[in-house]
Amino acid sequence: ARKRDGKNGASIYDEAILDRTRQRAEIEADIEAALANSWFEAHFQPIVDTRTRSTMGFEALMRLRHPRKGLQSPAAIVSVAEETGSIDRIGNEILEDALESLAKVCRIPGMERCYVAVNFSPLQFEHSLPTRIAAHAARFGLSPSQVVIEITEAVLMHDNPEIRTILDQLHSFGCRIALDDFGTGYSSLSYLSRFPVDIVKIDQSFVKSLGTDAVEIKQKNRMLMEGITAISHKMNCIVVAEGVETEEQFTQLRAIGVDCAQGYLFSKPMAVPDLITNLNTTANLLESRIA
Ligand code: C2E
Ligand code: MG
Ligand code: MG
Ligand code: MG
C-alpha cells in the first residue's frame, strides 16, 4: 500500500486521480439512473426585449433532479456525458421536455409566440435531428420558428460538412440558430458568414465587465460589444446578452443596441410548473387591471 502522509508526491497525485475517477464514476452512475428514471428536466430562463422588457422566449437549461442529492447543475454532467456519449440520449430528453413545456407556456395569454432555445453539443448533430425536431414541434403544436438551436463554436470549428447540412436543414424549415458564448475562445467572425446564424449571444464575461472591471478595460469591452452588435445587425442577426444581473448593466446594454437580455436581474432558470404559476399570476393581474 502507498503512503498517504503527503510526503510522497506521487501518492498525493494518485489520490487526486483516484478522487477524480470516483467523482466521474459517480456522475456516470447518476446519469444512467437519471435516464432510466426520467430525472432530467429542462428549466426555463426568460429572455426579454431590452426596449419593452417583455419576455420573447426562454433558454432551456438542463437540470438533473436527484431524489437524494437534489437539483444538479449541468456543467460537470455535460462534460462527462460528452466523453461517454450519453449526451445524445440526455439531449433528446431535454429537447422533448423543452418543447412540451413551451407548448404549455404558450397557452398563457400573451405568451403565444414565445420561443425556446435549446443547447446542443457537437455529438447531437446526427442526420435524424431535423426530422426529430420537426416531429416534436408538430406533436406539441409548435411552429418550427419557436425553436432556437443554441450551439457554440465547438459545433462549427471543424467545418464538418455533415453538421453544415443539418444546420441548413434546420434553418430552411424555420428553426433559428443561435451562436452561444460569442466573443470568447476561438470564436471567429467568419462563422457569421459561413453558417446560417440568426442570433448572437454575447458571452457573460463581457456583461460582467460592464460593472466590475477597471475603467479602461470596461471601456474597451464596451467598445467590443458595440462592434459585435453592429456587425451582428449588419449580418441580420439579433443580439442577446447573457448574465445580466444589474440595472446598470441592463441600461448600458440597451444603449449599446443589444436587442435582448437574459440573466438573474429578470429571473433565475425556473422549473416550468413554478414558471407557469408566476406567469399566470402576472397574466391575471394584467387582465384585472384592464377589466
Ligand atoms: P450557457 O448555455 O451559456 O447557459 C447560460 C448559463 O448561465 C446557465 O448556467 C445559466 O443558469 C447561467 N446564468 C444565467 N443568468 C445568469 C446570471 O445573471 N448570472 C450568472 N452568474 N449566471 C447566469 P447553467 O444552467 O449552469 O448551464 C451551464 C452550461 O451548461 C450552459 O451554458 C451550457 O453550455 C450547458 N448546458 C446547459 N443545458 C444544456 C443542455 O441541455 N445540453 C447541453 N449540451 N448543454 C447544456
Ligand atoms: Mg446556452
Ligand atoms: Mg452562454
Ligand atoms: Mg456557456
Side-chain angles (χ1 to χ4, degrees), residues 50 222 226 229 249-258:
T50 50
R222 194 191 150 107
E226 284 168 357
T229 302
Q249 290 168 339
F250 179 70
T251 308
Q252 291 197 55
L253 289 164
R254 197 169 40 196
I256 288 169
V258 166

Side-chain angles (χ1 to χ4, degrees), residues 67-269:
R68 193 162 34 83
K69 303 173 195 167
L71 214 54
Q72 309 286 305
S73 286
I77 295 169
V78 170
S79 70
V80 171
E82 283 180 339
E83 277 176 50
T84 63
S86 60
I87 189 68
D88 199 27
R89 284 178 293 153
I90 301 174
N92 279 337
E93 298 269 299
I94 296 298
L95 175 66
E96 201 177 342
D97 191 36
L99 297 194
E100 187 174 8
S101 295
L102 183 70
K104 290 180 189 157
V105 171
C106 284
R107 280 186 221 124
I108 298 167
M111 307 300 291
E112 296 85 353
R113 303 296 313 151
C114 278
Y115 66 82
V116 68
V118 182
N119 293 282
F120 284 83
S121 293
L123 280 172
Q124 294 178 256
F125 282 83
E126 38 115 11
H127 71 280
S128 69
L129 184 66
T131 22
R132 273 191 290 122
I133 292 183
H136 285 319
R139 180 152 64 98
F140 298 121
L142 298 167
S143 148
S145 66
Q146 290 175 284
V147 182
V148 171
I149 314 292
E150 279 201 16
I151 55 175
T152 60
E153 62 178 16
V155 172
L156 307 180
M157 219 152 38
H158 305 293
D159 211 341
N160 178 329
E162 254 171 273
I163 289 185
R164 164 188 293 281
T165 306
I166 293 167
L167 286 174
D168 284 339
Q169 280 172 352
L170 287 166
H171 195 251
S172 67
F173 78 70
C175 293
R176 286 178 296 163
I177 314 292
L179 199 44
D180 206 354
D181 303 343
F182 194 77
T184 60
Y186 299 94
S187 52
S188 153
L189 287 173
S190 73
Y191 292 145
L192 298 182
S193 62
R194 287 188 290 136
F195 295 95
V197 178
D198 304 284
I199 299 169
V200 170
K201 294 190 82 171
I202 297 183
D203 191 69
Q204 310 201 0
S205 54
F206 288 102
V207 176
K208 215 134 272 156
S209 167
L210 284 178
T212 54
D213 278 334
V215 178
E216 199 189 337
I217 300 175
K218 201 190 296 199
Q219 275 170 354
K220 283 181 178 167
N221 272 326
R222 194 191 150 107
M223 287 188 271
L224 276 178
M225 278 192 277
E226 284 168 357
I228 292 172
T229 302
I231 290 169
S232 301
H233 284 162
K234 278 227 160 84
M235 306 297 290
N236 279 323
C237 293
I238 285 175
V239 180
V240 178
E242 49 179 20
V244 183
E245 294 184 355
T246 67
E247 276 296 335
E248 199 213 328
Q249 290 168 339
F250 179 70
T251 308
Q252 291 197 55
L253 289 164
R254 197 169 40 196
I256 288 169
V258 166
D259 304 288
C260 295
Q262 174 187 353
Y264 298 163
L265 175 63
F266 307 101
S267 170
K268 294 209 165 182

Side-chain angles (χ1 to χ4, degrees), residues 1-49:
R2 283 168 201 258
K3 279 192 290 181
R4 298 191 58 189
D5 60 15
K7 278 178 195 150
N8 181 339
S11 73
I12 293 175
Y13 184 67
D14 288 352
E15 284 293 314
I17 289 182
L18 252 180
D19 270 357
R20 278 195 40 202
T21 312
R22 253 184 242 123
Q23 257 173 35
R24 232 194 88 117
E26 195 180 325
I27 293 172
E28 268 189 67
D30 285 350
I31 289 173
E32 286 311 317
L35 284 167
N37 298 294
S38 303
W39 292 341
F40 280 111
E41 50 189 59
H43 282 210
F44 275 23
Q45 185 179 36
I47 299 168
V48 308
D49 185 301

